Amino acid sequence: MDASRAGARLTVDLGAIRANYRQLANMSRASCAAVMKADAYGLGMEQVAPALALEGCKVFFTAHLQEAIALRQLVPEHCLIYVLHGPPPGTARDFFQYDLTPVLNDPGQLQEWRALALKLGRELPAAIQFDTGMSRMGFAPSDLAALGSRSDWLAGVRPTLVMSHLACADEPDSPMNEAQRRRFNTLRELLPGVPASLANSSGVFLGPEYHYDLLRPGAALYGINPQPGRPNPLRQAVSLHARVVQVRTVRDGDVVGYGAHHVCAGERQIATVAVGYADGWQRSLSGRGQAAIDDVIVPVVGRVSMDSMGIDVTGIPAERVVPGAELELMGATLPVDEVAALAGTIGYEVLTRLGSRFHRRYV
Ligand SMILES: *Cc1c(COP(=O)(O)O)cnc(C)c1O
């Protein structure tokens, strides 16, 4: 698609993603995996996964089986693909066929996988996840009490990884981190000698005692700050530039956008740009969002519409804001975390909502 035909241009910097991977991998003696769920956090798994494989990444995680089947064709055969949600009922065969490794989260999933192992007469690999306090996924203490009394609870399954997930890794002072780590250490004793993994992006920054054998970053690879409130050590990987559709001079008292909520004080220049909530640009940025042109920050005024929104560009040289000109909505001047803060959400949601109407470019 021709860039000028789209409302906005999304640029994904694969070099920055590779550099972020290298930086995270160099922080630890543990191996470093890459989390690919939600189409590589909205940036495009098809491009991101091979780039990370070239950077030396050998272990990938997806959330769903469907994502993993797509990923299988994108990375070399020797790469290990884990599916975080495990095998839904009736899907064990698919895992086997596409050489995918399930993360087993409860006795039902274990049973699903063991049944296939029994049928095939061979051991099948799996990661075992323990719930150490998040109450989201993984064997709960009650599951283990029921199973653990039987020494053969894993028969037919060859555990390749024991893992858990931190609830508060982005809050280094939270007592949850240490509590979960201790519980994880206790539970790991059920699987002696099996490689372990606990740290997501923020977890990597909690220190080496959280690293174990495998790091599992997602967000930090894509430029989201793993240490909110502190300088971001990673590189920005995404930029979004919106095209100006129209510019108009409005008079004192004129209103902008649905609901007529923004009332102009004095004569203003309003640029309408071609990005709206249908592009995943959060509607909560109405009257709060920002854009940048030549490093000057200008405000979003009025409500974000489905396909457009108003930007007050008063004071910007007229020749810089003409139909077809571009304003940065996210990138070097407006990092993803800042956009998220203005929208009242987190960088994860800003990225994973990015729509399909943009002209996408990978550099
Ligand atoms: C999403 C996810 C990750 C990656 O988390 P980030 O915060 O994006 O680094 C790691 N492990 C599990 C289980 C996840 O669900």
Side-chain angles (χ1 to χ4, degrees):
M1 183 174 50
D2 188 333
S4 63
R5 295 181 184 176
R9 194 163 55 84
L10 183 81
T11 309
V12 177
D13 185 345
L14 294 174
I17 295 172
R18 287 177 65 162
N20 289 342
Y21 175 83
R22 212 174 316 132
Q23 189 182 334
L24 293 160
N26 287 341
M27 283 179 65
S28 176
R29 280 190 304 201
S31 310
C32 190
V35 178
M36 288 289 121
K37 55 198 189 189
D39 199 22
Y41 290 46
L43 305 193
M45 181 171 75
E46 194 177 332
Q47 290 78 14
V48 170
L52 288 172
L54 281 175
E55 202 55 48
C57 183
K58 293 182 177 61
V59 182
F60 294 85
F61 288 86
T62 69
H64 303 302
L65 170 58
Q66 192 176 287
E67 296 172 331
I69 291 173
L71 177 57
R72 185 76 275 176
Q73 338 224 317
L74 301 173
V75 294
E77 256 172 55
H78 67 260
C79 289
L80 196 54
I81 301 175
Y82 285 111
V83 179
L84 290 165
H85 286 190
T91 62
R93 280 264 171 205
D94 296 331
F95 278 78
F96 183 69
Q97 182 188 338
Y98 291 99
D99 189 19
L100 308 171
T101 310
V103 174
L104 302 178
N105 294 294
D106 61 40
Q109 294 188 347
L110 173 60
Q111 192 41 44
E112 173 86 20
W113 200 229
R114 282 182 64 181
L116 181 63
L118 196 69
K119 209 177 281 172
L120 298 174
R122 55 183 280 187
E123 278 201 326
L124 294 177
I128 308 295
Q129 175 153 234
F130 293 130
D131 176 10
T132 54
M134 197 174 172
S135 308
R136 187 177 74 169
M137 255 177 269
F139 284 85
S142 55
D143 296 328
L144 292 167
L147 291 167
S149 53
R150 299 184 7 219
S151 60
D152 67 339
W153 67 289
L154 271 182
V157 170
R158 177 167 51 83
T160 52
L161 188 70
V162 52
M163 59 176 279
S164 189
H165 193 52
L166 296 166
C168 306
D170 58 341
E171 301 170 39
D173 296 331
S174 168
M176 272 297 281
N177 295 320
E178 174 71 6
Q180 286 194 266
R181 194 174 66 79
R182 280 174 189 280
R183 254 171 257 158
F184 187 53
N185 283 337
T186 305
L187 289 165
R188 275 178 66 205
E189 287 169 16
L190 292 170
L191 301 168
V194 175
S197 176
L198 182 61
N200 66 335
S201 298
S202 298
V204 174
F205 291 82
L206 291 176
E209 67 272 32
Y210 287 84
H211 292 175
Y212 297 93
D213 303 296
L214 184 69
L215 312 174
R216 298 194 313 271
L221 297 172
Y222 311 118
I224 292 170
N225 190 356
Q227 301 175 287
R230 303 177 61 178
N232 190 347
L234 286 317
R235 278 172 60 178
Q236 287 298 299
V238 197
S239 61
L240 179 64
H241 291 85
R243 199 164 42 73
V244 172
V245 180
Q246 186 185 44
V247 188
R248 62 171 56 208
T249 306
V250 299
R251 291 164 311 173
D252 185 41
D254 283 354
V255 298
V256 180
Y258 281 117
H261 280 297
H262 182 78
V263 184
C264 292
E267 188 177 292
R268 313 296 294 175
Q269 297 295 316
I270 305 294
T272 301
V273 300
V275 165
Y277 61 78
D279 300 293
W281 203 243
Q282 317 253 338
R283 193 166 171 273
S284 60
L285 289 164
S286 297
R288 306 176 46 88
Q290 296 178 331
I293 183 157
D294 301 333
D295 297 333
V296 178
I297 300 216
V298 286
V300 170
V301 289
R303 283 199 190 146
V304 174
S305 298
M306 184 188 290
D307 316 294
S308 67
M309 61 184 172
I311 313 278
D312 187 336
V313 293
T314 311
I316 304 293
E319 69 273 15
R320 290 291 296 118
V321 201
V322 293
E326 289 183 335
L327 268 63
E328 175 189 314
L329 297 184
M330 183 162 64
T333 312
L334 297 168
V336 55
D337 295 297
E338 214 163 298
V339 173
L342 290 169
T345 182
I346 52 176
Y348 297 68
E349 194 186 1
V350 171
L351 292 190
T352 55
R353 281 217 191 170
L354 291 172
S356 53
R357 290 199 292 184
F358 304 129
H359 178 262
R360 281 182 180 235
R361 202 163 62 96
Y362 290 86
V363 295

